[in-house]
Structures are given as C-alpha cells and as structure tokens.
Amino acid sequence: MESDLNIKYIAELSRLELSDEQSAKLQQEMERIVGYIDELKELNVDGVEPTAHAAPLSNVWREDEATASYSRQEMLENAPGVINDNLIKLPRVLPQEEA
Amino acid sequence: MNISTATLHELAAELKAGNLSSVELCQSCLDAVAQRDGEIGAFLEINQDNVLASAKAADERRASGNALSDYDGIPIGIKDNISVKGERCSCASKILENLTSPYDATAVERLRKQGFIPFGRLNMDEFAMGSSCENSAFQKTRNPLDTTRVPGGSSGGSAACVAAGFAPAALGSDTGGSIRQPAAFCGVVGMKPTYGRVSRHGLVAFASSLDQIGPFTRDAEDCGILLDAICGFDKMDSTSLPDAAGGFADAARAGAATGSLKGMKFGLPKEYYSGGIDAGSAKVLDAAIEKVKSLGGEIVDVSLPHTKYAIAVYYIIATAEASANLARFDGMRYGCRIEGSDLTDTYFKSRGNGFGDEVKRRILLGTYVLSSGYYDAYYLRAQKVRTLIRKDFENAFNACDMMLTPAAPQVAFKFGEKSDPLQMYLSDIFTISLNLAGSCGIAVPAGVDENTGMPVAMQLLGPAMAEAKLLQATAAFMRA
C-alpha cells in the first residue's frame, strides 16, 4: 500500500494542474509524508469509535422560515464573468453539437 | 501613555477620561504601520479612510454619551481569512486575490457591536496552512523582535501586528496551533477557545472540525475582553455551542487582583517533557514551573500516551477536511478563473495556478487519504485515534485543572530554516493535540531565551469550556 501513491492520479481527482517538475517533487514529498502517517497502522483501534467532531452536538434544527438573504447584485460582484447583470457566466459544460 | 504597548483596558480608560480620542488612537496606529510595516510586512492592506471614518463616528458617539461600550473606537487587526464586509478577503492566496467580502464574519459583527474597529487585513500562511507565514502568496512577515526570524504561523501577521505595536489586539484562527505558536514566537498572549465557543461564520474554512477564531493580545484581561465580545451561539454556525458564555475578562481581573494560583492543579504531561525542546526554551519553562509553584499552584504529573500519533492524525484529518472545503474554489462563482479548453480544463488551470505549493500538497494528501481503497486505512483510522487522543485529555484533566506545556519546540526560527514540509509539520507537536481534543489553550509569555533573546511561552491547556480558569491563571502568572 505504501508504494502505489500516484501523484498524477491524485492530482486528477483534485482538479489540480501540475507541471512535470512539480509532480516529481510532490511525488517525493508525499511519499515521505505518507510514510510518516503510516505509523498509525501500528496502533490497535479495534472497537474504538471514530471522532468526527469535537463538539457534543448532533442535529441542530431551526424553523423553516424564509428570511432575506444577500442581494444578487452584491454576490455577483465577485463572479469572474456575468451575463445580463444577473447570471454567472460559465464555460460550456456539454460539448458543442456538430453542425 | 505609549499607545504601541498599551492594553485595551488602558486605552479604554484613556478614552473614557477624555485624554485620548479614537481618531488620535487610530491615527497613531496608522502612523506606526506607515513607519515600520514596510520592514515587518504584517498587513496585506489597510483601508485608512474606513478606519478613520469609523474612529470619527466612535468619537461622536462618545461625545454624545452614546458610546457602544468602553472599547468604542479601539482598532483590532483582522487575519485575512476572516470576512470584513466591503473589504477584500484573500486568505493570502492568489485564487481569492480579488474577492470582496459581501458580509461580516459573526466575530467581526460582534466586535463592531462594541465599537471595535476592524483594522486592516493581516498576512498569514495561504489558507492558514503553515507555521511560519512563509506560505503567503504575497509577502513575508518578519518577526518584529528579530527581522531575520519568522513570526510563526499561520496567524503570523496577527502576532506581529500586536508585537510591533501596530494595534493593541488582533483576531487570528487556530486549526493546529496557528494562534498559540505565533503568539509564542512574538511574545504576546494568544488563545484558542474551545471548539464551538466562537462562531466560524465568515471564517474561510480550512478544517471545519478543528478551526477556531481567537484573540491575540498584550495581557490576559484583554484576551478576556475580546473573547467576551466574540463568543456565544450563532444561528449561522450550527457547531457554535449553545452554552451561556462570558465573564472571561472578569476572570482575568480576578486573577490579576489576587496574583495567586492557590488551589489550582497544573499537570505536566510527561510526553511533552521527554526532550524535543531546545535548551534555552527548556530553561525558561523550568523557571515558569517554579514560578507557578511559588504562586501557590500545585504541580502534578500526567500522561498523554497517544501524543506520538497526534501529528499523523492531524495531517490526515485536517487535509481530508481541507480537500473537501477547498473544492469550492473552482473559479466559477468567485475567485480567479483561468479559461481552459473546456470546463474541466478550466478547473485544472484555475486551481493549479491559484493555489501555492503547500496548499496543493495538503489538497493532494487529503484527497489521497479519502480516496477509494485508502479511506479505512487512513481517514477512518485517524478518526479512531482521534478518539484515543481525546480520551487521553479527559483522563489527564481528571487529575489537574489544566496542563502546563511548551508551546513550541524552539524559539522563532530563521527564514528558510525549515524548508522540508514534514519537518515543518513536526514542529507543531505541542499545539495540535488540543485541536483534535476540541478544548481550549493559551500561549502565555514566560521569559526570554538567553541564547537568542527571543521570547518563550508556556502553554496552558484546559478542558472544554475552561477559558475563564485559563485566563485567571494567566493573569495571576503575568502579574507576578
């Protein structure tokens, strides 16, 4: 399990573009870090409940009431691209149909 | 009075007596920044006009008998991952370089309710990932006490701001020591409150089960004053604790008044004293323990048997949470977008270009430990060991009121000294377990390392909800 760390595959899952040089460096660094965290495997954790969260809270409910939110205009000010002053402009999601 | 070293309560008294106006105070802070921040680099930006306009409004309120609190008109530095409405919030990252906050973080909103003035955006390690501020995409921050050394991180700008005399106090955030370690490196007080004590609404998420906002100040009372201002339940953060919160400044005042630690038990976890800290820091810590005894505190031995696993657990859980939290930065709705050949390519390019090396490393590690086939071996196992670490803390607190430990293995190090990422991670050994346990801790200036002249802190670690006791002890210790 230690040796099959494939940085290019993980970068793909992470949606991170890496240069070949970066990949090589990260591959090396990550192998060392993963080697270090592997020390957890020596510990017997049978029957131990996992901790997801430190606060002793479970479901927190509120009334389902509509309240005013931020204005569309304000939120759009941070968008990289805007259409008609009220929509976020995105790159094409589906491939273009052939004519 | 010397504004560059004054505490919040001293400034409040001067404002109340009419010896000082908020405009004079803020202008003096702005002048200090203009004079020396070119060298220090604590601030990414300060909106002078906003600061002075807020100061003028505070003075007018006070003149008409309508001051919002004793602290109306006092400036507070804000780490750049905490939202201040109308100002940029970049997390020291290129991917958010031009993001303007549409709202105030709850902590900032609560500061404003008392008249505190948000004062500039403080530098940090990108997305709070780092221990030296060297991971900021924009600039270095230098330690005001020795500019060849780092201020610590990730809230290095906040610590440097308070230590350099730019503002009397600041807010930072602590995910694995990011308040306590820079406070230790810069010789100021820094507290990580109990998880859930302060709302995380408006704090840009790094690791949601560990992140907590907290104060940087010049003494314990100030720390209590700021915690009183920002604590408590918030409907915008369902993990904020519903418990009543407050009385923190009063607890510190009580400690300062008596100067006594009688009746308090301080545990020394043996795993934190088995070598691993430099000789100069050890000497200061020994003297601090003697001082605690001389003030009437009782010292007991305790044990945290799973300490050696804490860094591994932390770097699995924190990076797993980070990889999910930072997935939102995709260049679509906000932040930097670099157009690629199609949608996926745009994601790759925007994120590849927008994130720095350390952030990429942690996203990759987090993605790896959550990926198919590895989840059980790493993430689930780490969550189980987290339970063991929490139980270690619970057991230790059965035998003492709080633990007294080092805050860092050494004093502030020099730039570039820790260039290996794993080596940098290992330097967090004394701070990260507390975040995993979810309880509270404080870095307290304890003395100076005789070899370097740099400050050394002791760290007090308390059970959940024990901030008042920590502040009482801190105030008593710092008075003597």
Side-chain angles (χ1 to χ4, degrees), chain A residues 52-64:
Chain A
H53 218 269
L57 299 168
S58 49
N59 287 341
V60 178
W61 304 102
R62 63 166 173 79
E63 292 305 313
D64 185 18

Side-chain angles (χ1 to χ4, degrees), chain B residues 10-24:
Chain B
E10 287 164 355
L11 292 168
E14 292 295 299
L15 287 165
K16 194 171 196 172
N19 298 332
L20 179 71
S21 72
S22 173
V23 169
E24 286 166 346

Side-chain angles (χ1 to χ4, degrees), chain B residues 279-316:
Chain B
S281 299
K283 201 169 165 184
V284 172
L285 214 63
D286 285 344
I289 294 168
E290 287 310 310
K291 183 170 161 185
V292 165
K293 282 191 209 164
S294 75
L295 297 174
E298 188 187 338
I299 302 286
V300 296
D301 290 322
V302 294
S303 175
L304 301 170
H306 296 93
T307 297
K308 70 173 274 208
Y309 302 106
I311 289 176
V313 170
Y314 176 83
Y315 279 94
I316 292 170

Side-chain angles (χ1 to χ4, degrees), chain B residues 92-403:
Chain B
S93 178
K94 281 198 291 182
I95 207 160
L96 293 182
E97 190 169 3
N98 296 313
L99 183 81
T100 301
S101 298
Y103 52 81
D104 275 336
T106 299
V108 170
E109 186 187 295
R110 290 182 179 179
L111 286 180
R112 285 197 210 268
K113 266 192 192 135
Q114 296 205 5
F116 287 111
I117 299 171
F119 187 77
R121 301 163 45 217
L122 291 161
N123 196 30
M124 56 188 279
D125 286 297
E126 183 179 359
F127 285 106
M129 297 176 183
S131 311
S132 66
C133 257
E134 290 168 294
N135 295 334
S136 166
F138 303 120
Q139 67 193 36
K140 272 185 189 173
T141 297
R142 295 174 183 280
N143 192 310
L145 305 170
D146 176 350
T147 54
T148 67
R149 294 175 188 273
V150 302
S154 68
S155 313
S158 304
C161 161
V162 177
F166 297 151
L171 291 188
S173 64
D174 191 316
T175 304
S178 283
I179 290 176
R180 290 160 287 148
Q181 183 255 26
F185 280 12
C186 292
V188 299
V189 173
M191 175 178 261
K192 185 206 98 75
T194 304
Y195 183 80
R197 190 62 110 173
V198 180
S199 168
R200 291 180 295 112
H201 175 62
L203 169 68
V204 179
F206 157 17
S208 304
S209 81
L210 306 165
D211 296 340
Q212 189 63 191
I213 293 175
F216 284 87
T217 59
R218 294 182 177 139
D219 74 2
E221 184 176 340
D222 282 6
C223 186
I225 289 167
L226 281 193
L227 191 57
D228 279 335
I230 63 177
C231 70
F233 177 75
D234 173 22
K235 69 177 189 333
M236 299 300 281
D237 174 6
S238 58
T239 64
S240 63
L241 296 168
D243 311 56
F248 300 118
D250 284 341
R253 286 179 197 119
T258 63
S260 165
L261 297 174
K262 268 207 183 72
M264 289 193 201
K265 271 191 196 169
F266 296 81
L268 306 183
K270 69 173 185 209
E271 293 78 8
Y272 285 43
Y273 289 91
S274 55
I277 80 167
D278 68 53
S281 299
K283 201 169 165 184
V284 172
L285 214 63
D286 285 344
I289 294 168
E290 287 310 310
K291 183 170 161 185
V292 165
K293 282 191 209 164
S294 75
L295 297 174
E298 188 187 338
I299 302 286
V300 296
D301 290 322
V302 294
S303 175
L304 301 170
H306 296 93
T307 297
K308 70 173 274 208
Y309 302 106
I311 289 176
V313 170
Y314 176 83
Y315 279 94
I316 292 170
I317 290 177
T319 59
E321 293 185 13
S323 72
N325 275 328
L326 273 62
R328 76 190 64 171
F329 304 118
D330 57 5
M332 294 298 124
R333 289 146 298 160
Y334 52 82
C336 132
R337 181 193 296 176
I338 294 177
E339 301 284 351
S341 56
D342 58 17
L343 179 68
T344 310
D345 194 42
T346 301
Y347 291 149
F348 275 93
K349 287 201 155 59
S350 301
R351 290 165 61 80
N353 180 73
F355 292 130
D357 286 349
E358 182 59 28
V359 176
K360 285 189 184 130
R361 218 161 10 237
R362 296 202 195 188
I363 290 173
L364 291 166
L365 183 60
T367 304
Y368 177 67
V369 299
L370 290 176
S371 63
S372 173
Y374 298 93
Y375 178 91
D376 285 2
Y378 290 115
Y379 185 64
L380 187 61
R381 177 168 281 265
Q383 285 191 311
K384 289 180 176 177
V385 183
R386 182 175 182 183
T387 303
L388 299 176
I389 289 170
R390 288 187 62 194
K391 288 196 172 145
D392 282 357
F393 271 69
E394 284 169 20
N395 291 337
F397 289 130
N398 285 332
C400 62
D401 295 298
M402 62 192 80
M403 290 187 267

